[in-house]
Amino acid sequence: ERVFSNDAIMSFIKNDHLAESEFTSFYSTNNTLNEYLTAYTQISSINFYIDSDYFVYNSQFRKATQGVKNKYWYVNAMKSKGKVTWDVVASPTDNKLYLSLLKAIVNEKNECMGVMIIAINPDWLEGIMQDESNMAIFSVRDYKVFYSNVEGMNIGNVMSNIGIDELDVNIRVCQEHNQIADDAYTIIETFEYENTENKFQIFLIKPYSQISGVTDNVTKIYIWYMGL
C-alpha cells in the first residue's frame, strides 16, 4: 500500500505526458522503487504494467500489451478494482513463479490504467520456515502453491482433493491426507487479509510414523515412571 499511495509514482503514471524528456527526468531522479526494494527484503521486485497510448517504458514500468491484458492475474486485478489481490505469477525478468500482490491502477475517472505487481522474495519465505520441522505447503486463491518443502509439490502446482470448500475462511481442521507417499495427517488452516479478495491456506503434514514415534517415547517415559 505504501508503494501504491506514493504520490510521485501515481502522478507520474496517471498524468498526461507531453514529451519524452518528462519520462527521462522521472527515471533519472526518482529512486523510490529501488529504495523500497532495499528497505524491504521480503520484496523481490516491483513492476507496473501500464495501458497507455503514450508512455516511455523501462524495466519497472512496462507496457500492458494485449498478451499481458489477457493474463488471468491481470484480468482478476481489473475485476477487483480498488482491492488487493494475491496470486502466483511469473516474473517478467526470470520467468520464475512468485507469490505476488496485485492491484489495479485507477485514475480520477475510475478508469483502470494498468496493474501494479509486487513479487514476494522466496528467500524470505524460506527464512520463515527454516526452523520448522513440519512438512508444510502454503497456497493462495484456488489452492495454488507458493511455498512447499514437500517433495513433488512445486510452486504453481494446485492442491487437490482438499476436502474443504474453497470459500471457507478462518477454519482449522485435521484430517487424513495424501500429499506425501506415507500415510499422514494434515492440519489445514485458512485465513484472509483485510481488504483483499483472496484466501490463503496452510497445510502442515505429519506422517503417522512421526506421531507413533512420539507416542512410543511417551509410553517409555510412563513405563520408566511406573518402575520407580
Side-chain angles (χ1 to χ4, degrees), residues 8-24:
I9 293 176
M10 289 300 110
S11 295
F12 171 69
I13 294 174
K14 295 177 182 180
N15 288 349
D16 292 329
H17 299 281
L18 301 178
E20 185 174 332
S21 59
E22 294 182 53
F23 296 93
T24 304

Side-chain angles (χ1 to χ4, degrees), residues 44-205:
S44 180
S45 65
I46 304 172
N47 288 287
F48 293 86
Y49 287 89
I50 311 300
D51 184 12
S52 174
D53 293 333
Y54 180 71
F55 205 92
V56 177
Y57 303 96
N58 71 358
S59 61
Q60 292 174 311
F61 294 84
R62 297 170 174 267
K63 181 176 178 58
T65 64
Q66 191 58 50
V68 168
K69 290 189 285 186
N70 289 339
K71 298 285 188 182
Y72 64 90
W73 52 263
Y74 192 98
V75 173
N76 289 334
M78 287 296 182
K79 289 180 179 177
S80 304
K81 184 190 301 184
K83 288 190 175 182
V84 167
T85 65
W86 291 88
D87 216 320
V88 179
V89 180
S91 165
T93 54
D94 61 15
N95 208 37
K96 293 181 180 179
L97 295 172
Y98 293 83
L99 171 66
S100 299
L101 178 154
L102 304 102
K103 191 172 183 179
I105 303 165
V106 182
N107 64 17
E108 288 71 18
K109 298 178 182 179
N110 203 34
E111 300 168 334
C112 288
M113 299 185 63
V115 171
M116 175 191 72
I117 178 167
I118 300 178
I120 304 303
N121 188 348
D123 291 338
W124 179 69
L125 293 172
E126 290 284 351
I128 293 175
M129 296 299 294
Q130 65 180 357
D131 296 325
E132 178 59 58
S133 59
N134 287 313
M135 288 180 283
I137 299 171
F138 300 164
S139 63
V140 70
R141 290 190 73 91
D142 49 357
Y143 303 106
K144 196 176 298 179
V145 174
F146 64 86
Y147 168 84
S148 171
N149 61 7
V150 176
E151 185 177 357
M153 184 58 68
N154 302 315
I155 296 175
N157 289 168
V158 176
M159 299 285 286
S160 59
N161 302 318
I162 303 304
I164 59 175
D165 193 298
E166 68 178 54
L167 298 179
D168 287 341
V169 66
N170 296 327
I171 66 167
R172 187 172 190 174
V173 298
C174 182
Q175 62 186 39
E176 294 184 55
H177 227 278
N178 59 351
Q179 300 303 327
I180 62 174
D182 299 330
D183 291 333
Y185 277 109
T186 302
I187 298 173
I188 307 173
E189 187 156 3
T190 69
F191 65 94
E192 64 182 347
Y193 289 117
E194 187 178 357
N195 296 323
T196 71
E197 294 197 333
N198 305 127
K199 296 169 180 62
F200 289 79
Q201 304 88 29
I202 297 175
F203 302 83
L204 297 179
I205 302 168

